[in-house]
């Protein structure tokens, strides 16, 4: 059976419920509670990446699906059941618990956040979940929010931190740095002319666009972290396309990566994107940024790289 599956379990399960627009520290506590359910196979019920609940449809997503599901697997989840939202949106709360959780997913234990909503038009909350679980012979395990600096960890806080370029705060709230992982496309190769070749990754539609500017970063390629420097923005000095993208100079690697998906992690903000008088001035500044970024990136790789790779399951 595939990890993300439309098949149904053969064993009794503990099911972690959530939209999981990311997998921050609070989300992982929900996953862990399901995984620690003795004798039950841990599953996740969420929604297809192509179909989200109405209340979440306009929210920018936190991270690539590959990273999200890799984290779930690394946490110990056995399988993810992710139907289209349209397939279940008209079910009442009781029908969802009875028909989906009990009958299809063979659920014996439900794990969810205390603010989880379900049923037609999100009409039911944790009180109804407890009621229906008791009626159909399931344990309900609500998980309280995790607080950091006196405020609940939430996807909203993480989005706000990324949009203001506060990558240490993103890493604090999630446990891993902000990640861009779209397919590498061909650029104008100007960097190569100045001895600073880059990989170019468009920002996928529907995902958070970090604050435009230059970042200390790290690229994970073929099982290894490489120090890097990344510009997020529209490259105003050399381009008029006005399409947000990440352009990364990977330090210590010269390889053809076109068409591959490479996770690039933004570690810290260096400076805002700006227009330079000439390309020569631009690339002279990039060389300085690169030198500074290498030192800071190597420090992060030494102290956090191994732990991050394990957490992400990469």
């Amino acid at each position: 059976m595939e990890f993300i599956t439309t098949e149904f379990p053969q064993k009794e399960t503990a099911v972690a419920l959530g939209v999981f627009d990311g997998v921050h520290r609070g989300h992982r506590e929900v996953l862990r509670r399901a995984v620690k359910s003795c004798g039950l196979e841990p599953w996740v019920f969420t929604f297809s990446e192509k179909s989200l609940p109405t209340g979440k449809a306009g929210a920018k997503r936190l991270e690539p699906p590959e990273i999200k599901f890799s984290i779930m697997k690394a946490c110990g989840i056995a399988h993810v059941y992710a139907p289209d939202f349209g397939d279940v949106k008209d079910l009442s709360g009781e029908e969802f618990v009875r028909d989906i959780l009990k009958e299809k997913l063979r659920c014996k234990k439900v794990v969810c956040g205390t603010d989880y909503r379900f049923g037609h038009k999100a009409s039911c909350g944790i009180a109804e979940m407890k009621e229906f679980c008791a009626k159909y012979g399931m344990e309900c395990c609500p998980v309280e929010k995790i607080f950091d600096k006196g405020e609940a960890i939430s996807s909203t806080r993480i989005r706000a931190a990324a949009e203001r370029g506060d990558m240490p705060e993103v890493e604090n709230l999630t446990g891993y740095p902000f990640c861009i992982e779209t397919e590498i496309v061909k650029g104008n190769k100007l960097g190569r002319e100045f001895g600073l070749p880059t990989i170019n990754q468009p920002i996928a539609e529907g995902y958070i666009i970090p604050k435009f500017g230059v970042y200390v970063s790290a690229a994970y390629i073929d099982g290894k972290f490489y120090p890097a420097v990344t510009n997020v923005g529209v490259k105003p000095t050399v381009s008029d396309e006005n399409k947000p993208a990440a352009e990364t100079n990977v330090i210590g690697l010269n390889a053809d990566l076109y068409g591959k998906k490479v996770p690039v992690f933004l570690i810290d903000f260096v400076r805002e994107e700006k227009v330079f008088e000439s390309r020569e001035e631009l690339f002279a500044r990039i060389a300085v940024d690169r030198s500074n970024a290498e030192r800071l990136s190597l420090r992060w790789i030494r102290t956090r790289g191994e732990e991050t790779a394990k957490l992400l399951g990469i």
Side-chain angles (χ1 to χ4, degrees), residues 6-234:
T6 55
E7 298 181 54
F8 301 122
Q10 302 301 309
K11 302 176 182 178
E12 292 182 333
T13 64
V15 180
L17 304 176
V19 174
F20 296 109
D21 45 358
V23 195
H24 58 59
R25 286 163 51 194
H27 291 138
R28 290 202 301 282
E29 184 59 28
V30 172
L31 299 177
R32 289 191 188 103
R33 297 281 185 92
V35 169
K36 291 179 180 178
S37 302
C38 185
L40 300 175
E41 189 169 67
W43 281 55
V44 163
F45 175 92
T46 188
F47 296 107
S48 164
E49 288 292 300
K50 299 177 182 178
S51 172
L52 291 175
T54 305
K56 295 280 189 177
K60 298 293 185 182
R61 301 188 194 187
L62 298 177
E63 62 205 15
E66 293 88 351
I67 292 291
K68 177 171 79 173
F69 293 121
S70 182
I71 294 171
M72 290 182 177
K73 184 179 286 188
C75 283
I77 294 297
H79 297 286
V80 174
Y81 180 66
D84 285 346
F85 176 63
D87 293 343
V88 299
K89 69 181 180 65
D90 293 327
L91 296 177
S92 70
E94 184 168 3
E95 287 171 335
F96 171 72
V97 172
R98 181 191 66 209
D99 299 349
I100 303 296
L101 297 183
K102 179 178 173 63
E103 297 300 329
K104 291 186 175 181
L105 296 182
R106 302 188 65 183
C107 181
K108 297 297 289 183
K109 180 178 180 179
V110 173
V111 186
C112 61
T114 53
D115 59 350
Y116 184 74
R117 307 295 302 181
F118 65 104
H120 184 57
K121 294 185 177 179
S123 57
C124 297
I126 197 65
E128 290 82 6
M129 180 62 77
K130 289 178 179 178
E131 175 188 342
F132 298 141
C133 282
K135 182 174 180 178
Y136 292 106
M138 293 182 282
E139 179 186 356
C140 180
C141 179
V143 178
E144 297 288 341
K145 288 183 176 294
I146 294 178
F147 283 75
D148 182 89
K149 300 172 186 173
E151 188 179 351
I153 293 175
S154 68
S155 299
T156 300
R157 280 184 69 186
I158 296 165
R159 290 187 188 96
E163 288 168 353
R164 65 176 182 266
D166 190 351
M167 293 308 163
E169 178 69 351
V170 172
E171 185 170 2
N172 171 53
L173 296 173
T174 60
Y176 48 93
F178 185 92
C179 179
I180 296 170
E181 189 184 22
T182 52
E183 186 175 305
I184 294 170
V185 299
K186 291 189 176 182
N188 53 24
K189 299 186 179 180
L190 276 176
R192 195 171 296 277
E193 293 179 19
F194 289 85
L196 295 165
T198 59
I199 58 174
N200 297 274
Q201 296 171 291
I203 305 293
E205 187 175 348
Y207 287 82
I208 296 173
I209 301 174
K211 181 179 179 178
F212 284 2
V214 176
Y215 291 85
V216 176
S217 61
Y220 193 78
I221 302 168
D222 295 332
K224 179 182 176 181
F225 279 109
Y226 288 86
V229 59
T230 298
N231 181 81
V232 175
V234 293

